[in-house]
Amino acid sequence: MAEEYILVRDIICDHSERMLNIKKYYPYFKLTENAFAQYQGGMYSGLDMGYILMAVLRFFIEENNFREKDVTYGEYASFLSEVIRRDFDLNIDESEMSALVFYVFDKIKNDGHPFVYEYYDPQEKKKMSIRMKLIDSRIKDETVTYYITSDAIEFYLDTKEVKDESSISVAQILLSKMIAGRNFKGGVEVVKRINNEVGRLKVRKNEVLSILSHDVFEGIKAYDEFVDSVMTWFEDEQKLYRKNMNMIEELLKRSDNEYTEAFADIYVLETELKKSLSRHSELLGQCTDLQKKADEIIFNAKFSKLKRSYDFKHGLKTIMESDDTSRLGMFVLPLLDLNIKKSFSLTSIDKMLTCKAESEEKADLINENKTEEMYVYEDEVEDERIKANYYGFIKILFGMLMEKETVSLIELNDTLTGEFGDTFLKNGDYYSFLIHLSQKREYECEKVLAKPDTFFEEYLVDFLEKEDKEEYKQMKFELEFDSSNTIRIMDLFEITDIHFRKL
């Protein structure tokens, strides 16, 4: 019974944590699935979206974090054009290349929407959703610039550490992203990862010293490798530590409600980062001692190689040839003048008594019951509003098409105004609804349910599944644009009339 209980507990209680670990890989496989099959009739199906995605993420890490600058669309386009021409031997004109580069960028940004990964939580007994973006944007000096998110950095690091940079530096960059994104619990996990790396480097330092003691030549190779891969980054790592400590101190000074609620998490992160900084400083001191000891060992090894060794057989042969026994004194006199008296300084006893043994490092405890908090983001609120509005628009349009064969946009506007009030035509979601709806000239609901192609069709699928009416699922209709007739909207603008015709 106990084994069965443990089994059930592992399946149920650990499921959410496993799903949160998997989420970072979801956008990669979503993007690489038939990425170029539909674009330009499959003309560019030879391109590998997986390779292109990893190249773009590495470019953004280089620009955003190592060079500390945001990326403009022009810089991205220039980089990716060179990658495609160089690595895929694809020679196309500038207009086609510009369209291809924009298509890839739109895919990676997911048309401005986050990637949504859904899973079932057996503890809550309901479906949960996780949202993440790879590339996000912001306006800086009246220019739209782009930057990589912490989720994308974490995904890239899980595939392979960034070449030519220390893993501590890269983890510190990821920590900065998480602090800026208010993911303080995730930041604690990153600090623990840094502590593990510091502990590994301490062990490696001892291994290098051990190799030097036994084999100088192999030890020099190990020492040089350790210096190149570890010790050259100490200054940069210390700067990043100070930068993150300053960010946390600034947050603790703020009195905003959103930071007040997370004050406990920020304090825990500050405490862990201080411990990590202390351990990193200890490693720096130990590596300085390693340099001194390495220099001593190498010097002694060189000196011993330069000293001549005495060959006793050759010396005996020389004495016999010269027939001079007085030379035997070279062997005997050192043995007759040995200093057998030894002294021990009393001050050394005081040093022995006051010397404290180094305390062993204690492993960090992992809280198995910890769960990641679910936040409601601003774009989630907007998505829910848009979905609710589209739902109402589609329902009224389908209701009108069930009553008559053809419905004009003027009739639809009048019906919606009567339903939602005189100010309805100021609703921006209605015009985005019309734009999305106009992407296709004909809709067949059965085919849409089987495979939605556009964002509007995804909203349409949601409507059909919730309404669950057979007559709606059998609905077929087309859009006919009457360019000869325009509709004036509240003396603000004009739009072309549309006739919705049931087939």
Side-chain angles (χ1 to χ4, degrees):
M1 290 297 291
E3 291 179 355
E4 184 179 352
Y5 172 77
I6 294 172
L7 173 64
V8 172
R9 181 189 174 282
D10 286 346
I11 293 172
I12 295 176
C13 298
D14 297 342
H15 181 71
S16 293
E17 186 175 352
R18 289 192 173 92
M19 292 302 100
L20 291 172
N21 290 331
I22 289 173
K23 72 170 184 179
K24 64 177 77 76
Y25 303 103
Y26 174 73
Y28 175 85
F29 293 105
K30 181 76 173 175
L31 288 169
T32 54
E33 182 182 8
N34 301 322
F36 296 101
Q38 303 297 326
Y39 180 69
Q40 296 293 337
M43 184 188 301
Y44 301 103
S45 57
L47 299 180
D48 186 346
M49 179 59 95
Y51 173 78
I52 291 173
L53 173 63
M54 301 305 282
V56 170
L57 293 183
R58 181 65 183 88
F59 170 70
F60 271 89
I61 290 174
E62 180 72 24
E63 297 297 315
N64 290 165
N65 301 302
F66 298 147
R67 297 185 181 179
E68 296 185 347
K69 61 184 286 291
D70 283 359
V71 176
T72 63
Y73 179 79
E75 291 170 335
Y76 151 80
S78 231
F79 167 78
L80 189 57
S81 299
E82 182 183 352
V83 168
I84 292 174
R85 292 186 192 279
R86 181 191 66 227
D87 298 336
F88 295 98
D89 296 327
L90 186 63
N91 293 317
I92 56 178
D93 60 40
E94 290 300 325
S95 61
E96 291 177 335
M97 180 61 77
S98 296
L100 176 59
V101 166
F102 179 79
Y103 172 78
V104 171
F105 194 62
D106 195 48
K107 281 284 186 183
I108 295 175
K109 282 176 56 297
N110 198 30
D111 197 27
H113 293 75
F115 292 92
V116 180
Y117 175 64
E118 294 187 344
Y119 69 95
Y120 177 74
D121 189 335
Q123 288 182 298
E124 299 289 336
K125 296 192 180 299
K126 65 178 182 180
K127 277 195 172 183
M128 310 291 283
S129 64
I130 304 171
R131 306 160 64 82
M132 66 175 288
K133 288 184 177 182
L134 298 177
I135 304 296
D136 211 344
S137 62
R138 56 187 164 215
I139 298 177
K140 192 174 183 180
D141 298 331
E142 299 183 357
T143 304
V144 179
T145 57
Y146 302 91
Y147 62 94
I148 190 170
T149 64
S150 59
D151 287 326
I153 294 177
E154 191 172 1
F155 160 70
Y156 191 89
L157 295 184
D158 276 357
T159 57
K160 187 180 185 300
E161 295 290 359
V162 180
K163 186 180 179 182
D164 296 334
E165 293 290 339
S166 85
S167 55
I168 294 177
S169 292
V170 177
Q172 289 278 8
I173 291 168
L174 176 58
L175 177 61
S176 300
K177 291 281 185 181
M178 287 190 165
I179 293 172
R182 291 177 287 176
N183 185 3
F184 305 117
K185 289 188 177 180
V188 173
E189 293 300 318
V190 174
V191 175
K192 289 180 179 179
R193 186 189 301 177
I194 294 172
N195 289 340
N196 290 336
E197 179 64 14
V198 171
R200 185 188 71 81
L201 294 178
K202 284 184 177 181
V203 173
R204 180 57 185 162
K205 183 267 302 179
N206 293 331
E207 290 174 352
V208 170
L209 189 59
S210 177
I211 296 171
L212 274 169
S213 303
H214 292 88
D215 187 337
V216 175
F217 295 102
E218 289 298 320
I220 290 173
K221 291 180 183 178
Y223 174 74
D224 289 340
E225 181 184 346
F226 185 76
V227 169
D228 292 338
S229 61
V230 177
M231 296 174 67
T232 55
W233 300 108
F234 275 137
E235 185 177 351
D236 292 338
E237 290 167 1
Q238 290 291 101
K239 287 180 181 177
L240 289 169
Y241 267 114
R242 288 193 292 271
K243 176 183 175 183
N244 286 326
M245 285 297 298
N246 290 337
M247 289 177 67
I248 293 173
E249 288 171 1
E250 288 298 322
L251 291 178
L252 290 173
K253 292 177 183 177
R254 297 182 64 168
S255 58
D256 305 22
N257 290 333
E258 57 181 338
Y259 291 104
T260 303
E261 294 174 0
F263 184 84
D265 294 334
I266 299 172
Y267 180 76
V268 171
L269 178 57
E270 182 194 31
T271 304
E272 290 296 326
L273 192 58
K274 284 181 178 177
K275 291 179 182 177
S276 181
L277 178 58
S278 174
R279 292 177 182 178
H280 190 267
S281 299
E282 289 176 8
L283 175 63
L284 177 59
Q286 291 177 13
C287 288
T288 303
D289 291 338
L290 173 64
Q291 285 180 312
K292 294 178 181 178
K293 291 178 181 177
D295 290 341
E296 291 176 5
I297 292 172
I298 294 171
F299 174 80
N300 292 333
K302 288 179 179 178
F303 183 73
S304 63
K305 288 292 180 183
L306 291 173
K307 285 195 305 182
R308 292 182 58 186
S309 57
Y310 186 79
D311 188 343
F312 285 90
K313 288 184 178 180
H314 178 72
L316 181 59
K317 182 180 178 182
T318 302
I319 293 172
M320 292 174 65
E321 289 176 352
S322 63
D323 196 21
D324 184 1
T325 56
S326 63
R327 293 189 177 185
L328 290 173
M330 291 186 295
F331 297 97
V332 178
L333 290 175
L335 299 176
L336 297 177
D337 195 22
L338 293 176
N339 181 15
I340 59 174
K341 294 180 180 180
K342 302 294 181 183
S343 61
F344 188 81
S345 174
L346 295 177
T347 57
S348 298
I349 298 176
D350 293 334
K351 291 181 180 179
M352 292 172 61
L353 293 174
T354 56
C355 180
K356 294 182 179 179
E358 292 186 2
S359 59
E360 296 183 357
E361 292 187 9
K362 295 182 179 179
D364 294 323
L365 298 177
I366 298 175
N367 186 0
E368 296 182 355
N369 298 322
K370 184 189 65 180
T371 57
E372 186 173 315
E373 292 185 12
M374 306 298 292
Y375 296 96
V376 179
Y377 299 91
E378 292 180 3
D379 56 341
E380 284 185 295
V381 176
E382 290 185 5
D383 283 344
E384 289 300 321
R385 188 202 70 234
I386 293 171
K387 185 184 293 185
N389 286 341
Y390 279 23
Y391 189 96
F393 304 154
I394 296 170
K395 186 171 183 179
I396 289 177
L397 176 60
F398 275 31
M400 295 177 70
L401 287 173
M402 295 300 296
E403 296 177 0
K404 52 191 302 187
E405 294 293 326
T406 303
V407 176
S408 69
L409 183 59
I410 296 174
E411 293 172 323
L412 180 61
N413 288 349
D414 292 340
T415 304
L416 289 168
T417 303
E419 182 73 21
F420 299 111
D422 296 336
T423 60
F424 168 75
L425 292 178
K426 293 183 179 180
N427 189 331
D429 288 345
Y430 177 53
Y431 302 103
S432 71
F433 166 76
L434 293 177
I435 292 170
H436 282 292
L437 181 62
S438 301
Q439 287 181 335
K440 287 189 175 182
R441 297 299 177 95
E442 184 177 314
Y443 290 90
E444 186 174 345
C445 290
E446 284 188 341
K447 291 183 179 179
V448 172
L449 280 168
K451 187 179 179 182
D453 292 329
T454 64
F455 280 107
F456 173 75
E457 289 186 346
E458 290 179 359
Y459 291 120
L460 185 55
V461 167
D462 184 62
F463 168 78
L464 293 171
E465 288 177 347
K466 286 183 179 178
E467 288 294 319
D468 197 21
K469 289 185 179 181
E470 193 61 32
E471 57 268 26
Y472 286 168
K473 294 179 181 179
Q474 300 297 324
M475 176 75 73
K476 298 180 185 178
F477 66 96
E478 66 176 1
L479 280 69
E480 181 181 330
F481 297 90
D482 185 3
S483 57
S484 62
N485 187 23
T486 57
I487 305 171
R488 186 75 178 171
I489 304 294
M490 302 179 70
D491 294 329
L492 297 174
F493 54 87
E494 293 181 351
I495 59 175
T496 302
D497 193 12
I498 305 172
H499 296 281
F500 307 94
R501 184 171 290 105
K502 187 167 64 174
L503 301 176

